[in-house]
């Protein structure tokens, strides 16, 4: 294989890596699945302040026999400074990582395994890059390309561009350079976007009914109002942060609704961020809009202990999983009454793990009333020696992070959907028809797919008797009821749902586009997306828009280059692949 020798000199004798970085021929890495590999990146946080760090994690899905890689990432050099990088590749400690190469607004990272043997396959984390915020605004980080080399020294190039943005607030409150900003008379003033629990709130110690210590932080209304006013008018989300310095197992932060009313009307994207140790809760002020001016909203962060904690641990072990964090109970009250959800709005919270993890084998979960562990949308970012898990949830509950048991489905070996099915099995979204079989080519029913969507969106199942052929005793009653309430399904004109009918491809894409909307994203697309399909006229009128949008979003493909096959029954494998792509479009998984 011909190659440029200069790079070889710079990385000593690591010739495999050099081959990867400057291939003379373009050989496509064979995939175990029929689908081409896809690469992307996720960010550890959507918002931060100047001086804070954001970690971009690069991943690959459906990859096969990857022995080494070269990643090129572009970033906003006006607002971000490159801090460092590290490999997340399996066995990275025994491989060779090339020091990052900076050129203009781009950084190049390269890694190769050493010795004989095969490469890695499936869904993989490649590397992480850490950036420090240096100027307020919205900064984009873009994955430009990924070059990979397999164990046969064959190289392949991906150039799809995957971009993510982070919103940076001015931590100096409009002041000057380093240190505390100054007032007009030259004396230091507090950061306008940070609340100090010792000066901006009244702190008292209480106990729960069970005797647990509670740190109660009653935020001063005027101080909160001024902090929110400082972020109103920013081009994107403004963050007001309150860090609670307490090791108590329960923290209760009380916020006067009157103080956030103005911000809710003027800056709907403003967020009140509450931090305690390795946990954060993001409360968008928009969810408080319209509440009584005399109300008090309380955010409670509690470490689950005693019998409740033991029940979660027991359920985790029974599922063959490993707990990576202690369970945390997030709850919100309005004037002492529990607020279980925010009318479908997703609210973020983060948990931290004291080691790096594989995002494809780890997931955040919420714990239902029966102590069952259920998937919750979450993105994982490895930062140095730690992992930060950002949870996107439409409801309050108990949350924890688990490493799940590897699925073993004998009928998936070398199947084109193997990687995606195993990923979703790790996430506790899909399960087999038995412990060792998935039945990938079996048709999936309308009820089964509705249940998958509800599970993937992290929704709570609530039985509703809205369809004539769905009884309260049916296993899918709760999922179908929730899907109806969330707008994912609508049923037929005769008020039936036909739960046991195999779902067709056009029905599936219609439900998927509705799921995108429920997850907070309006899909885009036009009829032009369907122009390449000779059978586009067979797509029902009610499904044309959804088909076009799902094609444009990269969630669904045709059954061939020229056929969409709208009336064809979808399989369990197809449903898993489309669901995985939907979650990635929503940024609900890595």
């Amino acid at each position: 294989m011909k190659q440029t020798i200069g790079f070889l000199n710079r990385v000593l004798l690591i010739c495999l890596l050099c081959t990867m970085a400057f291939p003379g021929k373009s050989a496509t890495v064979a995939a175990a699945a029929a689908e081409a590999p896809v690469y992307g990146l996720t960010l550890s946080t959507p918002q931060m302040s100047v001086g804070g760090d954001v970690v971009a994690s690069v991943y690959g899905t459906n990859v096969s026999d990857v022995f080494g890689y070269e990643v090129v990432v572009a970033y906003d050099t006006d607002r971000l400074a490159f801090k460092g990088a590290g490999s997340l590749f399996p066995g990275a400690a025994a491989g060779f990582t090339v020091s990052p190469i900076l050129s203009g607004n781009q950084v190049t990272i390269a890694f190769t395994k050493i010795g004989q043997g095969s490469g890695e396959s499936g869904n993989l984390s490649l590397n992480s890059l850490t950036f420090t915020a240096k100027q307020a605004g919205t900064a984009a980080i873009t994955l430009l390309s990924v070059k990979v080399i397999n164990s046969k020294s064959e190289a392949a190039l991906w150039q799809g561009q995957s971009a993510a943005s982070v919103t940076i607030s001015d931590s100096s409150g409009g002041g000057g350079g380093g240190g505390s900003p100054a007032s007009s008379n030259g004396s230091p003033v507090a950061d306008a976007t940070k609340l100090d629990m010792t000066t901006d709130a009244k702190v008292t110690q209480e106990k729960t009914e069970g005797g647990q210590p509670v740190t109660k932080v009653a935020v001063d209304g005027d101080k909160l109002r001024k902090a929110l006013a400082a972020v109103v008018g920013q081009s994107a989300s403004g963050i007001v942060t309150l860090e609670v310095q307490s090791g108590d197992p329960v923290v209760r932060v009380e916020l006067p609704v009157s103080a956030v009313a103005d911000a809710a009307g003027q800056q709907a994207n403003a967020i009140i961020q509450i931090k305690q140790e390795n946990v954060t809760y993001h409360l968008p002020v928009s969810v408080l809009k319209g509440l009584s001016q005399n109300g008090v909203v309380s955010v409670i962060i509690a470490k689950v202990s005693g019998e409740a904690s033991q029940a979660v641990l027991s359920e985790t072990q029974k599922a063959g999983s490993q707990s990576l964090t202690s369970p945390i109970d997030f709850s919100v009250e309005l004037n002492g009454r529990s607020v279980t959800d925010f009318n479908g709005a997703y609210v973020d919270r983060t948990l931290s793990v004291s080691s790096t993890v594989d995002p494809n084998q780890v997931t955040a979960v919420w714990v239902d009333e029966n102590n069952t562990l259920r998937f919750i949308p979450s993105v994982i970012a490895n930062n140095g020696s730690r992992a930060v898990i950002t949870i996107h949830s439409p409801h309050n509950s108990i949350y924890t992070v688990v490493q799940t048991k590897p699925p073993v489905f004998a009928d998936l070996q070398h199947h084109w959907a193997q990687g995606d099915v195993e990923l979703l099995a790790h996430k506790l979204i899909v399960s087999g028809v038995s412990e060792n079989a998935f039945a990938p080519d079996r048709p999936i029913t309308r009820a089964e797919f509705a249940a998958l969507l509800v599970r993937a969106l992290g929704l709570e199942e609530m039985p509703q008797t809205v369809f004539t052929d769905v009884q309260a005793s049916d296993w899918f009653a709760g999922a179908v009821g929730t899907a109806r309430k969330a707008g994912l399904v609508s049923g037929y004109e005769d008020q039936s749902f036909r739960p046991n009918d195999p779902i067709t491809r056009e029905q599936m894409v219609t439900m998927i586009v509705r799921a995108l909307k429920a997850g907070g994203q309006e899909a885009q697309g036009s009829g032009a997306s369907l122009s390449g399909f000779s059978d586009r006229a067979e797509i029902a009128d009610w499904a044309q828009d959804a088909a076009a949008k799902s094609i444009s979003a990269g969630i669904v493909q045709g059954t061939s280059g020229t056929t969409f096959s709208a009336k064809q029954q979808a399989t369990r494998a197809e449903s898993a692949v489309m669901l995985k792509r939907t979650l990635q479009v929503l940024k609900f998984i890595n």
Side-chain angles (χ1 to χ4, degrees), residues 219 224 253-257 260 272 274 283 288 295-299:
V219 178
L224 177 58
V253 177
E254 296 187 344
L255 308 167
V257 176
V260 301
I272 300 172
I274 299 169
L283 183 66
L288 306 179
V296 173
V297 170
S298 301
V299 176

Side-chain angles (χ1 to χ4, degrees), residues 388-405:
V388 177
I389 295 87
T390 301
I391 298 170
H392 311 291
S393 177
H395 53 78
N396 292 307
S397 185
I398 295 174
Y399 300 89
T400 188
V401 179
V402 298
Q403 180 167 321
T404 51
K405 179 178 67 175

